[in-house]
Structures are given as C-alpha cells and as structure tokens.
Amino acid sequence: MRLPFSTPYLSPGLNPLSDQFSFLGDTCRLACRFLSVCCKDREERTRWVTISPIPGQTINGIGVSGAWWPLDLQHFPVSQQEKVAELLFSKDTGLGLSSYRYNIGGGGKGVGNPSRRPPTPYVAPGVYNFTADTASNFFLRAAASYGVEQLTAFVNSAPADLTSNGDACGGMMSKENVPAFSKYLADVLVFWQEEGVRFDLVSPMNEPDNNFANLDGSPCRQEGMAVLPALRASLPSVLRRTLDAAGLSHVGILADETSTVPEFLPEIPLWLPLAKAHIAAVAHHDYLFADERSLTAMGVEGRALSGGKDMWFTEICCFKTREGEREGDPLAPLAFGQTYDPTIVGALQLGVILYKSFTLVGDTHFDWWTAVSKAIGCSPFNSTTCATTINRHGYNDGLLYYDPSFNKTQNYEIYTTKRFFLLKHFARFIPIGSVRYDVFGSAPLQRVLAFKRPARGAEPAGWTVVVMNMSDEESAFEIELYVEMGRATAAYRTTAEEDWVDVPLQGDRPGEGRFHMLLPGLSITTVLFE
C-alpha cells in the first residue's frame, strides 16, 4: 500500500535525555562550523578545511548486492568468475568491500525475465535443496573466503508457496504465512552457518511497498513481495523469536528497505515504533533522489521512531542528470532513469550520493545496488568504445559490466567503470568501526569526508580523508591537522585518465599543523594519516 507524501515532522515522545545530548551535539557542531569558517579570511576559506573534534556516526559497512548477475556469470569461465570475486572482495587488488548482500531467491515463479528468477532452496515446509542456486552460492562463498566482515541475507520475495498469490511477484506476505516464512529464513541461515558461512544480518522484505506486478497482467520484470505497514510491525517480532530459537541470536534484522523517501516518511510511524525492539537498524532506499531537507528528515525521523537505531542505506542505482542542461556537472540534481555513464562525472555523482548519505541522513552503512550488470546499452564486442562512452540505452546500475550477448558472442570480458574506483576510495580504507567527523570550510566545489579508523590486523589506526573535486579545474586542498592525526603516509587518486594511482606526498607539514596538496579537476583522492 502506498500512502501519499506528508510533510516531515519531529515526532513527539522522544527520550528527553537523548534530546538533550542530540541538541548539545548539534550546537557544538554549529559552533565548530562558525569558528572554523568565520574566523578565517576570505582567501583562506576557499583553501583549507578544519575537522571537527566532535565524533559523528560509527560506520558499519560499505558493500554491494549479489542480485541478479550471478545467474548470468555462472555461464562464464570459472577464471572470470574468480576475477569478479577478486575485484569485489580482495583488500589487496579489489574494492576490499566490508559488506555483501546475498539474495535468497524466491524461485522466480511469475517473473518473465530469466536473469531475475533466482532459484530458491525451498521445496516444501522443512524440505530444501541448498544446491539450487549454485550461481549465487559461488559468490557468497567467495565473499566469506576473502574475509568480508559482514554478510547480509535479503529477500525480494518469499517462495511462491508462502505468498498470497502463489507467485514470487505480484502478491504479498500474509499474516498467516509469517511463522512459516520466518522458519524458512532461519533454516537457510542455519544451513549456511553449518557450512562455515556466518550471516550477521537478515532482511526479510526488500521494497515492501512494491510487488512489481504489471498492470496489464503480463509477467513481472523481477521478484517482489508487498508487505503492508501493519505486518511490517509484527513480522520482525516473529522472526526475532524464530531466529533466537534456532540459535541465531547474533543475527540482526533489517527493516524495511522502502523504495523512496516520500513513502518512507509517512509509513514509518505505522510500523517502526512497534518493531524497533526487534530490529538492528532502520534500512532505506532512495529511488527518487530526495532533496536535502527530506534526506535530513528521514534520518531524524528514523532514529527518533526507532529509539536511536542506526540508519542504513541499503540500495540505490540507476541515476541520470535531472536537468539536461547540467549534464556533465557532478553536482547536478539526479533522477531515476536510463543512462550508462562510466566516466569520472558519473563516479563523482555517486560520490555525492555517498556524501549526502553520511552527512545529511547520518547513515552508518552504505550499499550500492548491484555489483555487476549487463545493462551496458551497447555491444562491447562490436565497439571498442562501448564500455567507456556514455549512452542513453544502458543504466548506471552496476560497478562492473559484461556483454549482454555473451551467449552469442562468447565475450566474457569484465568492464570496469569509474564508479567502481569511486567506491574503492570509500570501501578500502573506511573499515567497520571507523568514526566520521564533520569537515568545515572546504572550497565550494569540493566535498570532503573524514574518518578516524580503528586498527585492524596489520593496518594501524589512523585517519582517512576522502576529497572529491567537482570542478573541472585544479583546486588547492589544505587541512588543518590535529596532533592526533599524525603524518600523511599515502594517497590514492582517480581522475578521468587515472584509476586508483599512488599520489606523491609533498605537502605534509605536521610541524605547521597543515597538510596541503593540489587536486586535479574532476578527481577523487583518498589520503591516509597515521
């Protein structure tokens, strides 16, 4: 059920002590912003930044989804499948993702697109075939073997036997099926735990506002299952009891992964206050690319109605520039739509989405929708420029791409985009447990994020600063260093011509409390301090 949009409001009934701390934190941040910006002369304001001493949210993962691409990649040579796993999961040569979302397929009954009909392990109540989806299982095992710290199992639809219409799309979850559905999910997680793959989280409904039925009665384009807000309030409670009874008390529950902010805001009062005791985090999407006010309201409302639970951004893709005259501008407003843009501009547009997620919503987690896609919109087999050139036929839904006609062409090449390297700038050196700090005073066309990262294995504690230059001109960047930030030890950069290259460090002046460097136009740079 979709409800009309209502103006965001501040909910009553919050904990007064929490309100006081929240107010104090906001006040301190505003004071720091004033002192760091207003106390500099006009020229300095455009050159150097100050990092707030007040910690923000603790980051809990940066990842991608494993749907639907494994169904195609199972037909690729094993060497290419292994290459994709390395590109995604390796901390030495790949993205070094800290999170991976495994899709528990619903069997695809009623879905017209073969590549979006993932097999289900469900055969009958208590009867399973866990080898049914060998394609998705391959990449789940790969993620575990590479040591991806956080694994989430998510569901687009329950198996057809457990939906209202007997299909894996077009129907909904009903109250009477919730116990059997919960038992099914617990059984799947227990199986994988016995196989040595330990899930940390489960998301029982993905975009419950949409069952993906076609109005003309034709087959659905993908799996989907509606869950009414009233049932979203009770489902987590039943699932929590079922998981605990199965010895899975360590598995957290995510809810509710609503598609858009205009649907999320009016619906959460209907379910979140009743479900908050049973969920680990409040998960959301943003497929209408909401304005800054609405994004901020979503974070405020989600934390307020959940009693302070973390906000997680668990899916986004498929953006294009909303205003045609601003194409080529990384800061242009975005909309959902058809465009394939593998360039640095498309990467920086994704960077803006991440920036707003962390700074406006206050999300502690970010997942890009799908790791690999065939929606490239052209034939890389017939065109040497296909994979590197913008077109209006494909979609910005992947980080890596493959030939949609691979069965015919036998072309099994994997194509990278600048978005792939953009996400590496965030995922590789912002591990779970990193703490974000506000950054004040950056140049108008720079977007800067700073994280204090914990020691992990052989990697020492330190700071990670990601700076994106949205201008097509070179820009100076200078940080006022805190003593505890130490010395800059490494920097990596991606531009239109470069992909994750080492950058020489020439501007580290800890004795003066400054770090300085020049940023190429349209670039992403990550600087490490220890």
Side-chain angles (χ1 to χ4, degrees):
M1 180 173 67
R2 297 177 181 236
L3 300 179
F5 176 73
S6 62
T7 302
Y9 64 95
L10 295 178
S11 298
L14 302 183
N15 184 304
L17 186 60
S18 298
D19 281 352
Q20 291 174 22
F21 279 117
S22 177
F23 176 77
L24 178 62
D26 290 343
T27 302
C28 290
R29 287 188 177 89
L30 288 173
C32 288
R33 184 186 296 271
F34 177 82
L35 291 173
S36 65
V37 176
C38 297
C39 296
K40 301 174 186 176
D41 63 39
R42 185 173 182 179
E43 179 182 358
E44 285 180 313
R45 263 181 243 169
T46 64
R47 289 189 55 211
W48 50 280
V49 303
T50 301
I51 298 175
S52 166
I54 302 171
Q57 73 268 39
T58 300
I59 303 304
N60 195 6
I62 295 174
V64 296
S65 165
W68 316 89
W69 50 273
L71 301 182
D72 280 343
L73 263 60
Q74 68 180 322
H75 303 296
F76 279 44
V78 173
S79 60
Q80 287 300 87
Q81 296 181 51
E82 292 173 342
K83 177 182 177 180
V84 170
E86 179 183 355
L87 285 169
L88 297 177
F89 306 132
S90 172
K91 289 181 170 55
D92 297 321
T93 56
L95 293 184
L97 296 172
S98 56
S99 186
Y100 181 66
R101 284 166 61 85
Y102 167 77
N103 179 218
I104 303 177
K109 186 180 177 183
V111 178
N113 186 342
S115 64
R116 296 189 176 186
R117 292 201 300 252
T120 178
Y122 181 91
V123 177
V127 180
Y128 305 101
N129 174 14
F130 288 107
T131 65
D133 193 356
T134 56
S136 298
N137 294 352
F138 176 90
F139 288 99
L140 173 61
R141 292 184 188 276
S145 67
Y146 272 101
V148 174
E149 297 97 318
Q150 190 177 78
L151 298 176
T152 298
F154 79 100
V155 176
N156 287 303
S157 173
D161 286 355
L162 301 178
T163 66
S164 62
N165 66 342
D167 282 339
C169 64
M172 63 179 62
M173 174 55 57
S174 58
K175 183 177 180 180
E176 57 269 22
N177 282 335
V178 167
F181 178 52
S182 299
K183 180 65 165 57
Y184 157 68
L185 294 178
D187 288 347
V188 172
L189 301 188
V190 166
F191 166 80
W192 281 112
Q193 184 163 287
E194 293 173 348
E195 290 288 301
V197 178
R198 177 184 166 105
F199 280 99
D200 304 279
L201 296 136
V202 61
S203 178
M205 46 189 163
N206 186 62
E207 299 187 348
D209 50 283
N210 192 348
N211 62 17
F212 293 93
N214 287 325
L215 296 179
D216 62 3
S218 61
C220 308
R221 62 185 183 276
Q222 69 175 66
E223 289 191 341
M225 175 183 70
V227 183
L228 296 179
L231 200 55
R232 297 177 215 171
S234 59
L235 193 160
S237 173
V238 176
L239 179 56
R240 179 74 272 157
R241 291 195 303 270
T242 307
L243 293 174
D244 291 347
L248 299 169
S249 58
H250 65 279
V251 177
I253 299 171
L254 298 177
D256 71 339
E257 305 212 49
T258 289
S259 305
T260 69
V261 177
E263 290 169 316
F264 177 90
L265 284 169
E267 287 183 351
I268 54 171
L270 304 178
W271 67 269
L272 187 52
L274 296 173
K276 65 183 181 182
H278 310 293
I279 65 173
V282 182
H284 68 89
H285 302 172
D286 180 24
Y287 276 104
L288 289 182
F289 299 90
D291 60 80
E292 294 188 357
R293 177 176 176 269
S294 297
L295 289 172
T296 302
M298 177 167 61
V300 171
E301 284 288 270
R303 284 183 290 272
L305 292 173
S306 68
K309 294 291 175 69
D310 285 347
M311 297 291 294
W312 281 34
F313 196 155
T314 53
E315 187 177 311
I316 189 65
C317 79
C318 310
F319 56 82
K320 67 175 184 177
T321 302
R322 181 175 299 170
E323 302 165 1
E325 64 274 13
R326 292 188 65 180
E327 288 185 354
D329 178 1
L331 295 173
L334 301 177
F336 182 88
Q338 202 164 353
T339 286
Y340 169 75
D341 183 356
T343 71
I344 190 66
V345 172
L348 289 169
Q349 288 173 331
L350 172 56
V352 172
I353 294 172
L354 276 151
Y355 180 85
K356 290 180 178 180
S357 169
F358 289 137
T359 64
L360 296 180
V361 185
D363 288 315
T364 66
H365 181 102
F366 183 89
D367 289 310
W368 177 249
W369 160 229
T370 196
V372 193
S373 170
K374 63 181 176 184
I376 197 168
C378 54
S379 172
F381 183 77
N382 295 324
S383 169
T384 58
T385 61
C386 163
T388 57
T389 306
I390 297 171
N391 70 64
R392 306 303 176 200
H393 306 290
Y395 283 91
N396 289 328
D397 62 344
L399 302 173
L400 304 170
Y401 285 79
Y402 58 95
D403 188 341
S405 301
F406 68 90
N407 277 325
K408 178 180 178 180
T409 63
Q410 304 297 295
N411 175 22
Y412 301 115
E413 188 63 43
I414 300 297
Y415 302 93
T416 60
T417 63
K418 294 293 180 179
R419 279 194 307 280
F420 172 86
F421 293 100
L422 180 284
L423 198 64
K424 184 171 182 175
H425 279 274
F426 285 86
R428 179 63 186 86
F429 292 115
I430 306 173
I432 292 173
S434 298
V435 179
R436 188 187 71 84
Y437 285 72
D438 283 333
V439 177
F440 305 129
S442 61
L445 294 181
Q446 291 178 8
R447 296 294 181 269
V448 187
L449 288 158
F451 303 86
K452 187 176 182 180
R453 63 182 188 275
R456 296 177 68 87
E459 296 182 354
W463 287 76
T464 299
V465 177
V466 180
V467 54
M468 296 175 282
N469 183 12
M470 306 294 179
S471 169
D472 57 9
E473 298 180 355
E474 184 179 71
S475 175
F477 174 65
E478 196 164 33
I479 309 174
E480 280 190 296
L481 295 178
Y482 290 117
V483 174
E484 66 176 73
M485 290 187 72
R487 177 179 293 275
T489 58
Y492 304 90
R493 184 172 66 209
T494 296
T495 66
E497 294 79 27
E498 302 167 316
D499 294 330
W500 188 259
V501 298
D502 291 315
V503 180
L505 292 169
Q506 299 175 343
D508 191 9
R509 303 199 297 272
E512 300 176 20
R514 299 276 182 94
F515 171 82
H516 173 85
M517 72 187 314
L518 292 176
L519 307 174
L522 299 178
S523 63
I524 312 112
T525 304
T526 296
V527 186
L528 306 181
F529 296 85
E530 295 175 8

